[in-house]
Amino acid sequence: MKITKTTLPTNSILNNTNFEYIDSYQGYYLDMENQVSSKDIGKAFFTSAPKWTARLFELRNRIVSIFGLKTSEKTNNREELLHNFNCEPGEKMGLFSVYHRTENEVILGEDDKHLNFRISLYKEDVGISSDRKKLTISTIVKFNNRFGKLYFLPVKPFHKLIVPRMLQGIIRQIEAR
């Protein structure tokens, strides 16, 4: 499955947002019955990261807690939380809050004292065939201070490595349904 770097989709809600960093990746999937919803894609986001990223997040949480930044809460019932997760605005899963959800897009993210970020999961039909879809994952970041820029320096290379793999994982999950 080929994942390519792209631009923010023209109709994304994030186009109306101020930001200082952006990246977008896209991939294609088949949805023969046209049944994959933005909610399905949003839920798949939370189980699509490579397994090794869990350790990176644990390390990140330990380090940033010293500086009073937000961390995700530890939970023993992640499966149950994910099962009950409806991907509705105001809901939270780990470090990510749901800000918007439309038929074609989910906006996740968080605001913290050092930076604010948003992630768009945007699906759209490709060409004449409505069973082939394009899924674009975009990340925007707004730095709130110098510490936010400093924080993002070591995060950025990992982000660029992890996000395309997450997109592959999301596509695998929704095609396996």
Side-chain angles (χ1 to χ4, degrees):
M1 155 187 343
K2 185 174 181 174
I3 302 298
T4 57
K5 193 154 178 52
T6 189
T7 58
L8 183 64
T10 305
N11 293 328
S12 172
I13 293 168
L14 294 184
N15 272 310
N16 300 321
T17 309
N18 292 326
F19 52 84
E20 296 163 281
Y21 173 83
I22 184 169
D23 65 25
S24 297
Y25 298 90
Q26 69 184 13
Y28 296 87
Y29 67 95
L30 291 177
D31 183 10
M32 303 302 240
E33 305 294 321
N34 203 27
Q35 292 184 343
V36 176
S37 68
S38 60
K39 174 184 171 181
D40 298 327
I41 292 168
K43 287 180 87 159
F45 172 85
F46 292 103
T47 57
S48 64
K51 297 205 184 300
W52 54 267
T53 60
R55 288 195 178 138
L56 277 179
F57 249 94
E58 287 174 19
L59 177 62
R60 177 237 177 242
N61 286 341
R62 276 188 266 146
I63 293 170
V64 303
S65 66
I66 296 167
F67 300 100
L69 300 181
K70 293 180 180 179
T71 61
S72 51
E73 297 176 16
K74 291 184 180 182
T75 180
N76 294 330
N77 60 346
R78 183 169 164 79
E79 299 284 329
E80 182 181 336
L81 289 172
L82 193 56
H83 177 74
N84 294 323
F85 182 68
N86 291 310
C87 205
E88 291 292 334
E91 279 188 291
K92 195 168 177 84
M93 177 65 70
L95 186 62
F96 301 89
S97 296
V98 179
Y99 283 88
H100 300 281
R101 189 181 94 200
T102 66
E103 182 180 324
N104 294 326
E105 186 173 28
V106 175
I107 303 293
L108 306 166
E110 193 57 65
D111 294 343
D112 208 339
K113 42 186 182 181
H114 65 311
L115 59 78
N116 303 339
F117 72 92
R118 297 292 183 271
I119 297 167
S120 164
L121 301 165
Y122 190 89
K123 71 178 184 109
E124 58 189 308
D125 291 341
V126 178
I128 299 168
S129 171
S130 65
D131 57 348
R132 187 159 188 247
K133 309 282 187 197
K134 177 169 54 173
L135 180 58
T136 305
I137 184 169
S138 302
T139 306
I140 64 168
V141 180
K142 171 94 170 101
F143 302 110
N144 295 330
N145 51 42
R146 284 188 212 136
F147 181 64
K149 290 180 182 181
L150 183 63
Y151 167 89
F152 198 64
L153 280 174
V155 169
K156 186 176 172 181
F158 290 104
H159 171 82
K160 288 183 172 195
L161 183 67
I162 294 167
V163 173
R165 286 184 173 81
M166 286 185 74
L167 182 54
Q168 285 177 325
I170 293 168
I171 290 171
R172 273 191 214 102
Q173 285 183 44
I174 58 179
E175 283 189 331
R177 291 176 44 158

